[in-house]
Amino acid sequence: MDSDGTRDARGTHPNPVPRPTAPLEGAGVPPMPPGAPPAPLAPPGAPPKPDGSLFLTWLRTPRPDAPPGIWRLGHRPRPQETVGRVSDRALLTGAVAALIAALVVWSLWVNNLVPHKRIPLELVTPSDWWGFNPPRAALTASAVYDSVFATLVLYYFARVGNWKEVVRRYVTERPGPSRALRAAVLGALVAWLVVWHGLLSYYKLAVSVIPADWFVVPGDPVGTVHRLQILKIVLTVLALGPFALAGDWLGLLRGLQRPRAVAEHPETAVPEPVTDWPDLHAYGQSATAERLAEEARAGRMNDVDCVRIRRAWSSVVADPARLGAFTSAVRDDGARACLHPSGQRDLPIRMAPHDLLTAQVRIGRYADVERTPPARRAAGAALDSGTLGTSLLVIGPSGSGKTEHLVRPICESVALQALAGQAALIVVCAAGTPLGADQAYDIVIRPGDRTSAYDIDLYGGADDPDEAAMLLADVLAGDWAEVELRRAGTVLAQLLGPFRAVHGRFPSVPELRELLDGEPSALNRLKAMLDERDHSPLHRELDARARQTGTHGDPGILLADRLACLDRPAFSGFFDTSGDTRPFTLRSLDHPLRVRVDLPERAHPEAAQLLARLLLAQFTASTAVRRDRSLFACLVLADATHAITAGSVRALRGLRESNAGVLLSLRALGDVPEHLRQPLIAAVGCHAACSGITTWEGALFAQAWGTEWVETTEVAKHTVFADQPLTRLIHAVRKLGTGKPVTTDAVTVRQVERERWSASELAHGVPPGHAVLSLTTVQGEHAPPLLVDLRG
């Protein structure tokens, strides 16, 4: 039997799937980074000139560490706002009021309206200084005294008016040119008022301290004025010093001079250090790194090539014996080295922004509303393999945008990671669902379509009859509360074991249905093929099955009725176990495959539901026994209606340990059995509630997301009763004018525990095109449920 590599161990088949195909048209073109300007057009008739500037810009864009769920490409973290942050209006009002108060106090001081203001000065200076003709020393002491008082006034009112916060918020926190300009305007205003206008006594102090013969020219008043102006200029420079530091004038000047120097002397410009491939340089592979850097500069490398080669290099670090093959591949093929077996280097089309270096896909923007934390407001919302590893449950009615804005971007992201050798993707959807063209997948399976090149293994590649029986029992009867799974698994094991012992394979759908129906001729025929001496335990199994057939509570008939939906003429030739077809098994998820299964939901809805349940059960079973867990395995169920069973809910909890995850998309939680709704929400780590869900669905999410402590303010109005006649008269006049009694407010601020999102808010407060998204990573980090604009 030619299994085409889908059932063999990795690397043991001479021609594993997917077979190499011709690269797609335009597959090597680097993707356009988000927000990048369009490339300039070439002149008419000139051949297009390759340019890797867009790719290098994307590669060198910073990706700072951020909490889960934030788009890291080019992300600029907001400054952490404290709880007691003063508003701009209150800050400016206090600063202006403090400035006016300081000017009033200084005006009273200089106009001698402060009584006994010179007593402290006269106590520490000689008494003969303060006559009708005071000496120069007395004038100097008076200037020092006034300057000390002015400094104390400025310090006190600067603390009261919070001038330091004003300068920090409106000057030092601004970007370069704006910061320098604001500091220059503020410094010029201070220098004009203090030095040239003489608002404070600092200029008078400087004149008093400097010897008179330094700037006084006897008989030359013009020269004296010139020297005084030079002194003012020197004092102005000293006054502007702190503002130059606050505005970073030197940094701005260096930034303006650097491009000019490079333009005038390009031959002396220092080249940028090579940082695109630091691991290769650190390992001594500078020639290989330069080869890759040249491919990037020439425009022959895209993001998939970069990540794919980096992953190949990580395998070299783990196994140094692969170094020779890696270097030779890069030397010969450049950016096409270590290609995906399909030969593709990109998807035919991308509908969402992707960043493969962080394995993120952008799905929207966090809403800029009050309940969103300041650090996330207006920030990009993204998903990656670290969050998808805990599985994602998406709930929303038709038209809410869950397929367009969530399911398809995630399919594209995992498919790109598969091309880079990092993931394996299984997409299960109804035929015609817009989740990418056929060229974007390595294997496309269409049950019920004669043109389908691949089939589905009904038993998931299992070799043990008991394992296959329990897997199939959960698929056939997992959603029935009246059928015990243990008994259903026992019935199937009683049939699968003897059949495999006789034929060396498991039964096909018609053969299994015939055995489950309890047809005596079929059981007797199977029993006759068994050797009584070598297979005596199997004889007892068949005898027990024959005795139970037709008895009350026998699950065999129910299992046969459920299996009958696959025993239809449209599926003849499918689910074959004879070896004549090529069944695909999910045991091959150690390959970077991209598989899509188109279910016949319109023609055979019951069969489509059964197949979706079958693939989910096989996925959870196969990922649990994977040996190579370096690839992230992702199963996308575009419509998980009736696909959830008790066994699959239990298995979802263990996927994060297997580096695997499932995306479950549902129109409503009513499609899930009632006893499995709360366990399902608890089993997955990420939830997305789109607009349009019902109140009772919102109640389940509200219960799962829990509560938080919030600060509430309560204002109680109490009527004021006056005792004095004049006060009563004033209150009566006020009540006559306003129509309301005179009251006083009693404000109470306290901490209360409330739901993060109430059921009513989820049902009626989520705008169209939005969703409430909560995330959990495989490391245990949490992102609270927040409103996300899926169209942003």
Side-chain angles (χ1 to χ4, degrees), residues 686-759:
C686 305
H687 310 88
C690 300
S691 60
I693 65 173
T694 60
T695 306
W696 68 269
E697 290 174 325
L700 294 177
F701 281 110
Q703 183 180 1
W705 289 334
T707 59
E708 61 180 347
W709 288 97
V710 297
E711 186 178 275
T712 61
T713 302
E714 297 180 356
V715 180
K717 295 184 177 294
H718 301 283
T719 304
V720 178
F721 298 97
D723 296 332
Q724 302 298 325
L726 180 60
T727 307
R728 291 180 181 179
L729 178 62
I730 294 174
H731 286 185
V733 173
R734 182 175 175 181
K735 182 177 181 180
L736 183 63
T738 61
K740 298 179 180 179
V742 179
T743 60
T744 182
D745 294 341
V747 180
T748 303
V749 179
R750 59 180 180 176
Q751 297 282 338
V752 297
E753 191 175 9
R754 290 184 177 176
E755 292 179 331
R756 298 179 183 271
W757 284 85
S758 66

Side-chain angles (χ1 to χ4, degrees), residues 371 698 702 705-706 755-759 761-762 765-766 772 785-787:
R371 69 191 313 161
W705 289 334
E755 292 179 331
R756 298 179 183 271
W757 284 85
S758 66
E761 288 174 332
L762 289 173
V766 180
V772 179
L786 300 174
L787 186 64

